[in-house]
DNA sequence: TACTCGATGTATCGCGCCGATACAACGGTT
DNA sequence: AACCGTTGTATCGGCGCGATACATCGAGTA
């Protein structure tokens, strides 16, 4: 089972809606997600190259040649999903493994929830929740241990960090409850199931 | 004015308390700050090497040779600040420029607030605040623009992200107010002043 | 005594990301 | 006709990360 990193997954998701140029892709990813707020071209273009190389996407170089032959050869490249790309995306969408629980990965995965069935959504939310609970425990432990040694500012920083994570857990709890009481939306039944 | 990246600054701060080994350095940075939660050795050791190369720190290889000569030659390296390192740290501590306003950089800077005078503290807090206000505006703009096009989940993700930033601003406002009404703590008067 | 195991400790490799930078054509304004 | 902001592709050096390898120490245990 080939690995699919976060950026690759995000691109697959974007392109599943419609073919896009690199430039447009960047804008969309930047505004749609919290992650990738300022995704650089130094990441994007190499990523696209890799994906073309592994056959997940294909590059359609400038199609518009209706009239007057090959005059103004603009170099714009529209990328679209191949069948392999669609298959990979479907695979990822049906999985709820640990690779969907980290900060950026979760955001990307969450933004595609309307393409996922309710059971998988729930498993991702719960996985994320338990991941955050782990972090909560680690941080509050190390806070207690060094409570005396730290100055007021460091303590405040830790307290605030802790609070932020707690709030995140509360948010997830809300989402989980909603998902449980109203499994609505997409219900295309976990095909295959259990990845990662 | 030589550039000082976040990791370098954090190391300078840690070593200003006491000489430390790479291993200890990693543990401290991991537990003390929110940033650097899991700083890898693949970053730390090269960074230390760079800093030795640029003369900011010095490496004292294993001093403990009290008795029975050179028997168990353990390879442990304690790093300490050089005079150049102390000077650089003092420089950074007196500056409140834009390089202290980003997420990780701010955390590192904030955790050293007890080594900075009140005026500089205030300027950093305000800089961070205005940086977050910028982000707030960008995000809420792009939310309004594509309100219709997005599905419910993406919208919720954006809303939550926005809320998180708003909360961050509130936290800063509190800190600013406190700092204004009680400039206490270190008051070593901005020496030299205005960097970055 | 010997064995194992976890913590301490140093170090490197490949890979991917970032910020900066360069280049170029398009569309609209003055 | 000159200017400028947006769209668009592309690369380079530097650096952080995760994985991995290796070595020693102290303590508990068979």
């Amino acid at each position: 089972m080939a690995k699919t990193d976060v950026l690759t997954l995000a691109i697959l998701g974007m392109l599943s809606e419609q073919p896009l140029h690199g430039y447009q892709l960047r804008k969309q990813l930047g505004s749609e997600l919290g992650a990738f707020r300022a995704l650089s071209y130094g990441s994007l273009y190499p990523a696209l190259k890799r994906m073309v190389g592994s056959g997940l996407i294909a590059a359609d170089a400038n199609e518009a040649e209706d009239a007057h032959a090959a005059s103004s050869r603009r170099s714009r490249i529209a990328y679209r999903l191949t069948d392999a790309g669609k298959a990979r995306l479907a695979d990822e969408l049906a999985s709820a493994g640990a690779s969907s629980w980290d900060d950026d990965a979760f955001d990307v995965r969450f933004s595609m929830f309307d393409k996922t069935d309710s059971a998988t959504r729930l498993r991702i939310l719960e996985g994320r929740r338990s991941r955050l609970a782990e972090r909560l425990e680690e941080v509050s432990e190390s806070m207690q241990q060094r409570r005396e040694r730290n100055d007021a500012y460091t303590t405040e920083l830790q307290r605030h960090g802790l609070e932020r994570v707690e709030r995140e857990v509360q948010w997830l709890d809300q989402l989980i409850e909603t998902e449980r009481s109203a499994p609505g939306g997409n219900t295309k039944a976990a095909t295959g199931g259990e990845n990662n």
Side-chain angles (χ1 to χ4, degrees), chain A:
Chain A
M1 184 55 61
K3 277 273 184 66
T4 307
D5 64 294
V6 204
L7 180 50
T8 300
L9 178 58
I11 293 174
L12 288 176
M14 281 284 115
L15 293 185
S16 73
E17 309 276 350
Q18 59 185 309
L20 288 171
H21 297 160
Y23 186 83
Q24 299 169 317
L25 215 33
R26 185 185 117 108
K27 280 190 69 173
Q28 301 256 6
L29 286 173
S31 65
E32 198 130 334
L33 280 349
F36 301 131
R37 185 163 316 114
L39 174 66
S40 78
Y41 294 119
S43 319
L44 218 211
Y45 284 110
L48 289 171
K49 223 174 210 174
R50 283 197 303 272
M51 292 173 72
V52 170
S54 60
L56 294 175
I57 60 177
D60 296 326
N62 193 17
E63 66 299 335
E65 37 209 309
D66 26 36
H68 53 288
S71 55
S72 70
R73 240 29 187 119
R74 283 287 311 291
S75 65
R76 0 170 49 220
I77 305 165
Y79 293 93
R80 58 174 171 80
L81 290 192
T82 62
D83 289 342
K86 288 174 196 165
R88 174 68 128 277
L89 179 59
D91 242 46
E92 286 296 329
L93 286 176
S95 90
S99 58
S100 310
W101 302 346
D102 282 323
D103 299 350
D104 283 4
F106 173 79
D107 280 9
V108 170
R109 207 64 183 68
F110 185 81
S111 73
M112 298 179 183
F113 260 24
D114 64 328
K115 299 190 182 71
T116 308
D117 61 284
S118 182
T120 306
R121 286 201 287 257
L122 207 48
R123 266 183 292 136
I124 291 176
L125 290 174
E126 281 160 352
R128 170 74 176 163
R129 209 218 111 107
S130 73
R131 164 82 30 124
L132 287 180
E134 282 174 30
R135 188 181 300 173
L136 221 49
E137 208 140 339
E138 286 171 25
V139 177
S140 53
E141 251 179 60
S142 84
M143 256 186 80
Q144 301 232 318
Q145 283 181 2
R146 45 180 57 252
R147 167 149 310 185
E148 303 296 320
R149 260 170 300 175
N150 286 338
D151 63 289
Y153 290 111
T154 304
T155 304
E156 172 62 14
L157 185 61
Q158 289 174 334
R159 193 200 59 73
H160 178 244
L162 202 65
E163 194 179 286
R164 193 164 42 205
V165 182
E166 277 164 358
R167 201 103 56 181
E168 202 78 7
V169 171
Q170 286 169 24
W171 181 63
L172 283 169
D173 284 338
Q174 253 179 283
L175 290 172
I176 289 172
E177 199 188 344
T178 303
E179 192 66 50
R180 282 222 179 90
S181 64
N186 185 321
T187 318
K188 67 189 265 275
T191 51
E194 268 4 68
N195 299 44
N196 281 65

